[in-house]
């Protein structure tokens, strides 16, 4: 589990083709690795990956073809990735509960400065748009954010200067693809309602 609070922005240094996926080497760029060992989970722009090798500040991960097919930003040399280590039970939950399992890839409709902040508008895939609600939480490239407005499949987010400065969201532009994870609670609400409806018809 994660919180959606980015600890560092790493860079993909090497991508090696595997039989069914890739092995990537990531320069963690100052991320505290003192408590990280092989087998630990680290989120990369919202995608939970398992450390398979460590070389100083560089970590290596095997990324399956299935993961590559349903996410963006994990197979480009030089690409920046938002990094977050998995939560410990004693950690503060500064964002919201995040699983590191991407639900869909969204497309940036607008990214523009508004005063000191930035307005970000994203079009969600139809399969998950119904889970995104005004004042609810959503994870964009691993960053926990609050939804300000929703119209159809589009939703609006306000990014404060700090968030833009310390994440890879600063590089977004119309047409950019982003990893989205819906609020975990929304999944359970849907399942409970579905089960209640099925039980009533049984």
């Amino acid at each position: 589990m994660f919180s959606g609070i980015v600890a560092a922005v790493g860079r993909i240094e090497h991508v090696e083709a595997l039989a069914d996926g890739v092995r990537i080497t990531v320069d963690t760029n100052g991320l505290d690795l003192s408590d990280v060992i092989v087998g630990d989970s680290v989120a990369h722009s919202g995608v939970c990956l398992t450390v398979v090798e460590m070389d100083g500040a560089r970590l290596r991960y095997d990324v399956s073809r299935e993961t590559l097919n349903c996410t963006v930003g994990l197979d480009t040399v030089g690409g920046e990735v938002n990094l977050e280590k998995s939560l410990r039970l004693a950690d503060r939950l500064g964002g919201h509960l995040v699983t590191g399992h991407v639900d869909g890839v969204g497309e940036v409709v607008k990214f523009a400065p508004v005063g000191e902040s930035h307005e970000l508008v994203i079009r969600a895939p139809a399969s998950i748009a119904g889970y995104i609600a005004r004042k609810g939480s959503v994870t964009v490239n691993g960053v926990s954010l609050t939804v300000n407005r929703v119209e159809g499949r589009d939703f609006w987010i306000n990014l404060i200067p700090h968030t833009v400065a310390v994440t890879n969201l600063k590089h977004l532009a119309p047409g950019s693809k982003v990893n989205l994870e819906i609020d975990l609670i929304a999944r359970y609400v849907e399942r409970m309602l579905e089960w209640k409806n099925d039980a009533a018809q049984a």
Side-chain angles (χ1 to χ4, degrees):
M1 296 295 291
F2 305 91
S3 68
I5 303 300
V6 172
V9 177
R11 186 177 299 275
I12 299 174
E13 288 193 335
H14 183 70
V15 177
E16 174 189 353
L18 301 176
D20 188 29
V22 296
R23 174 168 292 187
I24 63 173
T25 301
V26 178
D27 179 353
T28 57
N29 191 31
L31 182 70
D32 179 13
L33 302 179
S34 62
D35 57 351
V36 175
I37 61 173
V38 171
D40 280 354
S41 297
V42 180
H44 289 65
S45 290
V47 185
C48 178
L49 299 176
T50 301
V51 179
V52 297
E53 288 183 12
M54 300 183 66
D55 179 14
R58 291 168 175 78
L59 301 179
R60 293 187 180 89
Y61 310 84
D62 291 343
V63 187
S64 70
R65 178 55 52 190
E66 172 64 22
T67 297
L68 293 174
N69 288 343
C70 61
T71 64
V72 293
L74 294 179
D75 57 356
T76 303
V77 174
E80 290 188 349
V81 284
N82 295 322
L83 302 177
E84 181 189 355
K85 297 185 294 185
S86 57
L87 287 172
R88 296 169 296 189
L89 288 177
D91 287 340
R92 292 181 177 178
L93 188 61
H96 70 283
L97 288 175
V98 177
T99 65
H101 300 152
V102 171
D103 292 298
V105 174
E107 180 177 346
V108 174
V109 176
K110 179 182 179 182
F111 182 64
V114 177
E116 296 179 349
S117 300
H118 277 73
E119 182 181 55
L120 174 60
V121 183
I122 297 172
R123 181 159 297 148
S127 59
I128 65 171
Y131 297 95
I132 299 171
R134 180 177 177 272
K135 298 306 177 184
S137 296
V138 66
T139 308
V140 178
N141 278 0
V143 185
S144 173
L145 298 167
T146 300
V147 177
N148 288 338
R149 175 181 159 200
V150 179
E151 287 186 10
R153 290 168 49 197
D154 296 350
F155 61 96
W156 279 250
I157 291 170
N158 179 71
L159 297 178
I160 62 173
H162 176 76
T163 302
V164 174
V166 302
T167 71
N168 67 6
L169 300 184
K170 66 173 70 69
H171 302 304
L172 295 179
S176 296
K177 304 296 185 181
V178 290
N179 294 319
L180 300 177
E181 182 183 333
I182 59 173
D183 189 353
L184 185 63
I185 296 173
R187 305 174 199 260
Y188 287 103
V189 171
E190 181 190 47
R191 176 57 179 155
M192 286 187 293
L193 292 174
E194 181 183 75
W195 177 259
K196 184 177 181 180
N197 183 58
D198 289 347
Q201 295 179 10

